[in-house]
Amino acid sequence: MIHETSDTTRKHFLFPGTLHVDAGECVITTVLGSCVAVCLWDTIKGGGGMNHFMLPLWNGEGLATPKYGTIAMEKLLEQVLAVGCKKERLVAKVFGGANILGMSQAACPIGRRNVELALGTLDDWRIKVVASDLEGMVGRKIIMNTLTGVVLMGRGKHKE
């Protein structure tokens, strides 16, 4: 069964360094390069959310914002649980971490480090990753429906 969104379905564009959570139906869209987006969804109740972080670790200086993976992951789980989702029913879908500048991963490992942070945190939390599309050389557009948990993904074109 395909669930189509109506004209009244809430929509949210997720900017880098932010997150969005909804207990009901909301279509969240974001665009990723080396950033990573983690989608959490409650498999029984529905509801969930997505983060979009740019750097893996907050160094303790300045504001602790979801620009950093360590903060974005904690806040996403906290807010998903606050809207009534249960940790034991959550699944994750993880996207991004591209090396879109074409530099060697040794010289510029931001994407890979973001991916490692996301996957490591989910593993620590014992939240199963049921889908992912990670690293590579192209950006991605992600669209998540928080009610159904369906995530659509498109890839950018690789520049020669």
Side-chain angles (χ1 to χ4, degrees):
M1 179 175 134
I2 296 176
H3 179 82
E4 293 187 28
T5 59
S6 71
D7 290 338
T8 59
T9 300
R10 289 183 299 280
K11 294 176 176 61
H12 182 84
F13 184 83
L14 192 64
F15 288 97
T18 63
L19 59 106
H20 187 78
V21 171
D22 202 298
E25 184 170 30
C26 181
V27 175
I28 307 170
T29 303
T30 199
V31 178
L32 304 165
S34 61
C35 297
V36 164
V38 174
C39 304
L40 291 181
W41 179 67
D42 186 316
T43 58
I44 303 296
K45 177 187 167 294
M50 180 193 305
N51 63 22
H52 178 156
F53 61 90
M54 303 159 64
L55 299 167
L57 303 171
W58 178 52
N59 64 5
E61 296 178 16
L63 293 175
T65 70
K67 165 182 171 180
Y68 303 101
T70 47
I71 306 302
M73 294 297 291
E74 288 174 18
K75 289 196 176 298
L76 179 62
L77 180 61
E78 177 184 293
Q79 290 185 22
V80 164
L81 296 178
V83 297
C85 298
K86 300 290 182 203
K87 187 175 175 188
E88 60 273 10
R89 300 188 309 229
L90 292 176
V91 294
K93 297 179 181 182
V94 186
F95 304 91
N99 180 8
I100 56 174
L101 299 178
M103 299 172 69
S104 78
Q105 283 288 2
C108 188
I110 296 297
R112 177 165 292 151
R113 289 177 55 215
N114 283 339
V115 167
E116 290 169 355
L117 181 279
L119 296 177
T121 302
L122 291 165
D123 187 55
D124 290 347
W125 291 343
R126 293 183 175 84
I127 295 175
K128 184 178 179 180
V129 176
V130 296
S132 64
D133 193 84
L134 302 165
E135 298 190 46
M137 304 289 282
V138 296
R140 295 160 176 91
K141 180 177 181 180
I142 309 298
I143 303 169
M144 175 193 190
N145 184 308
T146 58
L147 182 65
T148 64
V150 170
V151 178
L152 304 175
M153 186 205 74
R155 287 192 185 148
K157 293 183 179 178
H158 182 67
K159 294 179 182 176
E160 296 298 324

